Amino acid sequence: MNENFDDFNESEINDLVDKFEEKLKKRQAFFFDVEEYETLIDYYVENDDVKKAELILKNAIEQHPDSFSLLLKKAQVFVYSDQPEKALKLLNKLEKIEPENSDVFFAKGAIYSQLQHSEKAIEEYKKAISGSEALDEVYLNIALEYEQLKNYTKSIEYYTKALDLNPDNELALYELSYCYEQADQVKESLRFFTEFLDNHPYNRTAWSVLGSAYNSDNQIDKAIESFDFAIAIDERDPSAYYQKATVYYANKMYNKAIEIYQEILDLKLEYFLATPYFFLGECYEKMEDYETALINYNLSLKIDDKNPDAWVGRGICHFELRKINEALLDVKKGISLSETDNVSDYKLILAEMLYKENLEGDLELYKEIIEQHPDNTDAWLDYSDALRDRDKLDEAIDILELAVKSYPEKLEFPYRLAALLLLSGNTGYAFHVLSDVMNMDKTKKNMQEFFGYINELELDEHFLDIIEEFRRNIDDNQIQE
């Protein structure tokens, strides 16, 4: 906890830093009181200049050898210089000197958190509760550790405690919203944030997270209304605008999303204009207005040419406009820039383009995707389709059998396997697979997709009659159960 920054305003901190830098430049000795030294140390740590922080700390301890707070700073500097063991050793010594000092417990908790020892971190943070002057921060850190352990019930408890003491804590509000979502407690989330806003009606962040909760509960109108309240409280903060636009986009209300993104641009709410231009491109792409989508993707890339999503989006637009070479180059560029899990989806888009255009390399790319990203469901299915269309039906069946064996919980795979087995004439095996998967498919969503796929395969009429009879038998059995 860097409380010393709170004791000095920005101008005073800058004057102090200038004074220190001037003395350092002239190689003059320097002397400051304890609070000034702590402020300087915090400043250089915050600015990632640990070397200067260490130099200041050395002088500070020489000039104030009896200062307990400077020894605490020394432990913190050990942490920032990636020496957590030395920090813990020093803190254990300090704990013996002042066994009730909450700052020592808090510092130990922070170190254990950095070492990803959440249980020990929680133990130390809880020791800090009784004597802490920043109790909301202690509660917040306990909640964060429980969240790391995926104990969302306890996280919710401690985020709530933190907000009782400091209702303006934005991190606590956002994390509490996340924990309610992860715990599948949407109704409880709605109840909490509604009551919270009864007491704090001008809390912009609370209105935003309430909007997110309503969205999760499919109450779209109330979600939009909540975001509107957040915007009314702070018309210059773009975050609520983005959240509102995201809800419209997710519900395929692209024109309304476009209005919001255009408003962000018109009001100059966003310094980094690449973002709204990119989202405009996405909306127009979804509306199949590829020319306008291209204009916006290009505007985004002109500002930020490192965004892989924008390159891939531009590639899709070029493909739909039959500019195949440009499309392939764009998607390849997006793949080269991507450092996230999205890279498998980008490769899948490229493979699909190659496949649709009968260009070489699609089968090799599909194979690469399932080897490097085997959890990509669409890759397995698209690979089997590509093999089938290349008259490699046996290989397609082999791929799907491997998929079923590797991911038995993904019901799309046995349904697709059954379809291709029917196409190959292996009806006995096909109906065995179909019987098993239909009994597992409680929602019947995948079954409907299966019948749609079957219709596309143009199977012989007697196969379709047998399948329909099979489906009726399955449905009758489930009704009797």
Side-chain angles (χ1 to χ4, degrees):
M1 290 186 281
N2 294 336
E3 300 94 337
N4 295 288
F5 265 24
D6 298 331
D7 296 333
F8 293 80
N9 62 41
E10 186 176 353
S11 175
E12 289 172 331
I13 292 170
N14 289 334
D15 288 344
L16 189 61
V17 170
D18 289 343
K19 184 178 177 181
F20 166 72
E21 292 283 357
E22 183 66 22
K23 288 189 174 295
L24 198 63
K25 184 179 178 181
K26 293 180 178 179
R27 299 180 181 272
Q28 294 176 346
F30 49 87
F31 183 92
F32 300 98
D33 64 31
V34 172
E35 285 190 354
E36 289 173 328
Y37 270 128
E38 290 177 332
T39 301
L40 283 168
I41 292 165
D42 289 340
Y43 173 85
Y44 285 106
V45 165
E46 292 284 335
N47 286 278
D48 295 321
D49 193 341
V50 179
K51 291 294 184 187
K52 279 187 181 173
E54 290 173 337
L55 171 64
I56 295 165
L57 181 64
K58 180 176 179 293
N59 279 270
I61 291 176
E62 287 176 356
Q63 293 170 13
H64 306 280
D66 298 326
S67 172
F68 190 86
S69 61
L70 284 174
L71 291 174
L72 268 176
K73 282 291 173 212
K74 185 175 182 179
Q76 291 175 8
V77 172
F78 275 141
V79 172
Y80 283 107
S81 60
D82 200 25
Q83 301 180 76
E85 291 80 10
K86 284 188 176 181
L88 280 174
K89 187 176 179 181
L90 174 56
L91 288 168
N92 286 333
K93 289 180 180 178
L94 295 178
E95 185 179 351
K96 290 177 182 177
I97 299 170
E98 292 192 14
E100 303 298 325
N101 190 305
S102 62
D103 289 338
V104 173
F105 298 132
F106 190 92
K108 288 175 72 175
I111 293 168
Y112 283 124
S113 175
Q114 185 187 45
L115 295 171
Q116 298 183 346
H117 297 162
S118 291
E119 293 91 347
K120 287 186 176 181
I122 290 169
E123 182 182 337
E124 295 298 331
Y125 284 138
K126 285 185 175 180
K127 290 179 187 176
I129 289 173
S130 60
S132 177
E133 295 179 0
L135 192 53
D136 63 312
E137 195 171 344
V138 178
Y139 286 145
L140 177 68
N141 280 272
I142 293 172
L144 287 167
E145 295 308 317
Y146 276 123
E147 190 177 327
Q148 286 295 312
L149 296 170
K150 301 189 186 307
N151 187 339
Y152 299 115
T153 301
K154 295 297 287 185
S155 287
I156 290 168
E157 175 189 339
Y158 279 94
Y159 283 131
T160 303
K161 288 183 176 183
L163 288 168
D164 284 341
L165 295 171
N166 180 8
D168 294 323
N169 191 317
E170 290 193 6
L171 178 60
L173 285 165
Y174 282 123
E175 293 300 326
L176 177 59
S177 173
Y178 172 80
C179 288
Y180 273 126
E181 185 179 348
Q182 293 301 305
D184 198 21
Q185 295 182 18
V186 178
K187 298 299 183 186
E188 291 85 348
S189 177
L190 288 171
R191 185 162 46 250
F192 175 85
F193 289 116
T194 301
E195 291 176 1
F196 182 89
L197 282 162
D198 286 340
N199 296 314
H200 310 284
Y202 297 104
N203 189 308
R204 179 195 57 77
T205 304
W207 280 112
S208 289
V209 295
L210 178 63
S212 296
Y214 276 128
N215 185 42
S216 297
D217 200 43
N218 269 339
Q219 298 189 55
I220 306 306
D221 290 341
K222 286 190 174 182
I224 296 299
E225 184 182 36
S226 298
F227 294 132
D228 282 338
F229 276 119
I231 290 169
I233 291 167
D234 185 356
E235 294 181 350
R236 302 302 305 171
D237 188 334
S239 60
Y241 290 86
Y242 280 119
Q243 289 173 299
K244 183 179 175 181
T246 299
V247 171
Y248 282 137
Y249 181 87
N251 287 277
K252 300 182 179 180
M253 301 164 73
Y254 302 121
N255 278 319
K256 286 187 174 294
I258 286 169
E259 289 176 10
I260 303 301
Y261 292 130
Q262 194 60 55
E263 193 173 0
I264 292 171
L265 288 169
D266 292 343
L267 295 176
K268 296 181 172 59
L269 300 178
E270 174 69 89
Y271 172 74
F272 191 60
L273 295 180
T275 302
Y277 281 129
F278 166 73
F279 286 129
L280 282 168
E282 274 196 325
C283 290
Y284 283 113
E285 180 194 326
K286 289 294 184 183
M287 294 168 68
E288 299 183 3
D289 183 351
Y290 299 113
E291 293 283 4
T292 310
L294 262 180
I295 291 170
N296 284 282
Y297 281 136
N298 284 333
L299 286 168
S300 180
L301 286 167
K302 188 175 181 180
I303 300 166
D304 176 20
D305 64 356
K306 303 298 182 186
N307 181 358
D309 291 334
W311 282 104
V312 174
R314 194 174 87 159
I316 291 170
C317 293
H318 276 140
F319 187 82
E320 295 297 336
L321 294 169
R322 308 307 301 146
K323 298 177 180 179
I324 306 304
N325 287 335
E326 292 96 323
L328 297 177
L329 289 171
D330 284 345
V331 177
K332 287 176 181 177
K333 179 71 172 181
I335 291 169
S336 71
L337 289 171
S338 179
E339 297 177 354
T340 68
D341 292 338
N342 289 343
V343 69
S344 66
D345 294 326
Y346 299 155
K347 289 181 178 179
L348 195 58
I349 290 169
L350 178 60
E352 185 180 0
M353 288 178 176
L354 295 171
Y355 164 64
K356 286 181 176 179
E357 295 301 312
N358 290 316
L359 297 172
E360 291 184 0
D362 60 333
L363 295 181
E364 292 79 6
L365 189 51
Y366 281 126
K367 184 179 180 183
E368 176 186 314
I369 297 168
I370 66 169
E371 287 175 350
Q372 296 180 358
H373 310 276
D375 58 340
N376 191 316
T377 302
D378 289 337
W380 292 90
L381 298 175
D382 290 355
Y383 187 22
S384 67
D385 281 345
L387 287 167
R388 183 204 72 202
D389 287 352
R390 300 286 173 81
D391 295 324
K392 297 182 178 184
L393 187 57
D394 289 342
E395 289 184 43
I397 289 169
D398 289 343
I399 285 295
L400 289 170
E401 285 180 326
L402 177 60
V404 170
K405 182 179 179 181
S406 303
Y407 297 95
E409 75 283 359
K410 295 192 175 187
L411 302 186
E412 301 96 319
F413 295 152
Y415 272 121
R416 187 63 58 89
L417 174 61
L420 294 193
L421 287 168
L422 285 171
L423 189 63
S424 74
N426 194 343
T427 55
Y429 184 17
F431 285 119
H432 171 72
V433 172
L434 202 54
S435 177
D436 285 346
V437 69
M438 281 184 169
N439 282 316
M440 289 189 293
D441 188 5
K442 303 303 180 186
T443 66
K444 295 295 180 287
K445 175 188 173 185
N446 290 294
M447 185 178 75
Q448 297 306 320
E449 293 176 357
F450 163 76
F451 284 110
Y453 185 80
I454 283 290
N455 291 334
E456 294 176 10
L457 290 181
E458 299 180 357
L459 292 172
D460 290 343
E461 195 67 34
H462 74 281
F463 279 148
L464 296 175
D465 292 340
I466 294 171
I467 292 168
E468 187 58 36
E469 180 65 27
F470 188 83
R471 177 166 67 168
R472 283 197 292 269
N473 289 338
I474 289 287
D475 290 341
D476 290 344
N477 289 337
Q478 288 184 339
I479 291 170
Q480 292 173 9
E481 291 173 1

